[in-house]
Amino acid sequence: MSTASKGLEGVVAAETEMSFIDGERGVLEYVGIAIDPLARHSTFEETVFLLWNKRLPRRAELDEFSRSLRGLYPISESTAALIRAMPADAQPMHVLRTIVSALALEDPAPNATEPDAVRAKGLKILAQAPAIVAAFDRQRRGLDPVAPDSSASFAENFLWMLNGEKPTPTMARAFDACMILHADHGLNASTFTCRVIISTLSDIYSAITGAIGALRGPLHGGANEGVMVMLNEIPSVDAVEPYVMGKLQRKERIMGFGHRVYKAYDPRAVYLKTLAKQLAEDTGNADLYAKSSKVEEIMEREVAAKGIYPNVDFYSATTYHSIGLKLDLFTPMFALSRIAGWTGHALEQLEANRLIRPKAEYVGPHDQPYTPIDER
Ligand code: ACO
């Protein structure tokens, strides 16, 4: 009988002061503050300060933090040249992973692991990731990059660089709320990856690059794109029932549902659902919201008893679509925000570092002869 904990389910492998998650009751707090009021009333910049400093900033502190972040928006000419070298048909997550990795090459001390150095490097990666995604997306559309606006918030600046026009306050607010909701979430797969890498005393660029790779998978951050693919495959609200039932009968997964930790409604999905509805109505996407809500209704009837509810990815798909984002930008949006959590976890790991090195249970044969190659 194997003693391996498959998927490390239930294993506590780190301490954190950032996110508290109660999966049974559907609770998520950042530094003790419930996610819902944060999503409704905070800003992404304030939330990053909260996660990195374990307290809310005073106004002057937030101004100073925002100034530092915004001052780092412009990417270097060598980063811009690397983005120009990316093939037009590359997937944005691969581009983001590649260019974030390359940011280490312009850092004179990329390997520094002192807290101030890691924080400064994390801040720069956080500040520049939006420009990387926006410039690549414009380039593949045959458009020139748009210079960042250092007077704009993280959310406004991204939408400005992507579209070349200022977002409406509603759009900027909705995007900012999405960034808050995705910023941190305990020891999820990409954060674990980040902590494993930094625990070897490797560098923050490697840790975040690895985390982006882990996030891309369809069982993790890639699920938001999977949700949109599914909604596009369903032609109408009436077609939802046979589509979902067919998938469940074939034992296929419905993207955007289920969670390793939540066995109740994902608290991030609560506000996202409201946001998705309002934005869909405002942008002529009411049919998309209607399909989403029908999927949820059927899943509630069929599988809620097993503890399978919408997760953060389900309503973020409709929200991002209504904001006007292309399908393959959905997972990069998750990454833009989660860089905050990854950096915070890297700092926490380094504060009391011990190499993360679990064991594998060997289940193969023993005492095998070595057969020379020509005799096999
Ligand atoms: N649709 C249908 N059935 C599901 C789903 C789903 N989305 N998720 C879980 N189940 C069922 C499984 O078939 C299994 O049923 P069984 O016991 O009858 O065999 C049971 O629920 C348990 O599933 P596991 O895979 O063991 O649960 P695990 O904790 O390993 O998986 C995961 C969690 C990977 C998120 C899973 O729910 C899933 O694949 N969801 C779809 C992908 C998704 O939305 N991922 C995003 C997660 S949130 C995030 O990373 C930001």
Side-chain angles (χ1 to χ4, degrees):
M1 179 64 176
S2 174
T3 56
S5 171
K6 256 203 152 176
L8 298 183
E9 183 163 2
V11 173
V12 178
E15 290 181 348
T16 180
E17 291 178 80
M18 295 198 289
S19 292
F20 167 77
I21 306 167
D22 182 335
E24 298 300 324
R25 292 190 300 131
V27 173
L28 169 63
E29 296 168 349
Y30 290 165
V31 195
I33 305 175
I35 193 67
D36 198 72
L38 280 172
R40 288 173 201 269
H41 307 300
S42 183
T43 62
F44 180 61
E45 284 156 284
E46 181 179 67
T47 298
V48 178
F49 184 101
L50 170 69
L51 291 170
W52 290 4
N53 296 284
K54 318 290 160 61
R55 63 175 177 83
L56 286 169
R58 288 183 289 276
R59 185 170 295 283
E61 290 172 320
L62 180 58
D63 289 348
E64 173 57 30
F65 181 73
S66 296
R67 238 192 328 274
S68 313
L69 177 79
R70 295 173 187 194
L72 291 166
Y73 284 165
I75 55 175
S76 68
E77 179 40 41
S78 63
T79 299
L82 274 174
I83 298 170
R84 286 196 293 276
M86 296 292 116
D89 62 353
Q91 292 170 21
M93 277 300 274
H94 290 296
V95 172
L96 181 64
R97 192 196 58 236
T98 304
I99 307 290
V100 164
S101 173
L103 288 179
L105 308 179
E106 62 186 22
D107 185 335
N111 301 341
T113 51
E114 297 76 29
D116 285 352
V118 170
R119 191 183 272 249
K121 293 171 202 307
L123 192 71
K124 180 178 167 185
I125 299 170
L126 183 70
Q128 301 200 344
I132 296 167
V133 176
F136 173 70
D137 182 64
R138 287 182 70 82
Q139 172 176 309
R140 66 183 178 166
R141 288 188 277 144
L143 301 170
D144 287 333
V146 171
D149 175 359
S150 292
S151 70
S153 72
F154 185 89
E156 288 165 335
N157 179 51
F158 172 69
L159 295 172
W160 156 250
M161 289 188 295
L162 187 73
N163 300 322
E165 53 187 57
K166 275 189 187 303
T168 64
T170 312
M171 286 297 172
R173 179 67 205 123
F175 189 71
D176 198 55
C178 288
M179 294 296 101
I180 295 170
L181 288 164
H182 288 85
D184 187 49
H185 204 239
L187 207 55
N188 56 84
S190 55
T191 301
F192 182 61
T193 306
C194 172
R195 286 188 83 134
V196 169
I197 295 174
I198 209 76
S199 84
T200 70
L201 298 184
S202 180
D203 59 286
I204 185 72
Y205 299 99
S206 298
I208 293 185
T209 300
I212 294 172
L215 183 74
R216 201 189 68 78
L219 296 187
H220 189 12
N224 58 12
E225 293 181 18
V227 173
M228 199 62 217
V229 169
M230 170 178 79
L231 294 174
N232 285 338
E233 275 171 7
I234 305 176
S236 65
V237 176
D238 288 345
V240 170
E241 172 99 28
Y243 180 96
V244 172
M245 290 309 291
K247 271 197 171 282
L248 290 179
Q249 272 148 20
R250 292 190 300 277
K251 298 248 173 253
E252 288 170 20
R253 305 247 154 159
I254 304 294
M255 291 291 116
F257 281 82
H259 199 277
R260 175 59 64 79
V261 180
Y262 293 120
K263 300 305 164 201
Y265 211 98
D266 184 332
R268 300 167 296 178
V270 176
Y271 182 54
L272 267 175
K273 183 176 176 178
T274 315
L275 207 56
K277 182 170 192 293
Q278 193 204 322
L279 280 182
E281 283 166 2
D282 292 353
T283 56
N285 288 300
D287 58 327
L288 192 67
Y289 180 78
K291 282 192 275 181
S292 311
S293 137
K294 187 73 187 170
V295 172
E296 185 186 341
E297 185 188 311
I298 296 164
M299 289 296 277
E300 164 83 32
R301 188 188 72 208
E302 297 295 324
V303 294
K306 282 205 225 167
I308 300 170
Y309 292 92
N311 58 48
V312 69
D313 288 322
F314 189 63
Y315 283 108
S316 63
T318 313
T319 306
Y320 288 146
H321 180 81
S322 299
I323 288 175
L325 297 171
K326 278 207 281 307
L327 174 62
D328 64 1
L329 294 183
F330 289 13
T331 313
M333 297 307 98
F334 197 150
L336 297 191
S337 160
R338 188 55 65 84
I339 290 167
W342 294 330
T343 304
H345 276 271
L347 286 163
E348 286 189 335
Q349 180 66 33
L350 288 168
E351 243 171 57
N353 188 49
R354 183 141 197 257
L355 177 72
I356 299 175
R357 203 299 190 191
K359 290 202 301 188
E361 185 176 6
Y362 177 70
V363 293
H366 292 283
D367 300 327
Q368 297 297 297
Y370 177 80
T371 318
I373 194 159
D374 291 334
E375 293 170 27
R376 286 174 210 162

